[in-house]
Amino acid sequence: MKKIFLSLCLLLVTIIASAQIENSKTKIEVAVNTRDFLYKQEVFSVDNIDAFRIDALKITNLESFNIVSGLRVVHRIKIGKEFKTFYNYIDATEIDGLITTLRYVKTILKSKTTPNNYTEIKYTTLAGFQFMLSTILNDQSKLDWKFTVQTNTTNAQTNISLTNDEIDKLLKTLEQAKTKL
């Protein structure tokens, strides 16, 4: 009886875990990775920063004529002697949140004020693309701001620090991608 109960509990945990993983996929990621249907993928290039590439995507199901659009983030990282490519997908509905976050970050950085304690300001998309502004100790042992992008929160190697100029360029890239969709 105990073995049956334990087996049922394990089965329930497995089902819940797999359901949560499935719910964290974006519509664009599901469209790109779905098999057994005919689709057209349009890729629109945009200006990019050096650290990673963003492509605007429009996926059209040619059987039902459903259209899904969003962004594909392509991040190449050198691991050992080889380069490995990591992908992440952002739904079109999440682009405004990313743009708003970058504008907010730019406002904070321009104000030149820092809090008296450690602070993090984050925005994370459904699939784990994350912007983070956090305080660090600078060379004079005073708190200062640091902006990082993690192209996939499930992989620590995809974490990158960006300069103010790169933040501006990333904002322009996202705005440009939004107009292409």
Side-chain angles (χ1 to χ4, degrees), residues 77-96:
I77 300 172
K78 188 171 184 177
I79 300 175
K81 294 181 181 181
E82 297 179 4
F83 279 95
K84 196 165 189 182
T85 304
F86 297 94
Y87 297 94
N88 202 344
Y89 295 91
I90 301 168
D91 282 335
T93 56
E94 297 178 296
I95 297 172
D96 283 334

Side-chain angles (χ1 to χ4, degrees), residues 32-71:
V32 167
N33 292 313
T34 299
R35 303 214 187 295
D36 199 28
F37 77 91
L38 182 63
Y39 70 92
K40 175 176 75 171
Q41 177 175 302
E42 297 175 81
V43 180
F44 305 99
S45 296
V46 294
D47 295 335
N48 276 291
I49 64 172
D50 293 333
F52 56 87
R53 187 178 87 230
I54 294 177
D55 297 323
L57 295 180
K58 187 185 280 187
I59 309 293
T60 305
N61 182 323
L62 296 174
E63 296 169 8
S64 66
F65 297 103
N66 290 333
I67 298 174
V68 178
S69 58
L71 305 176

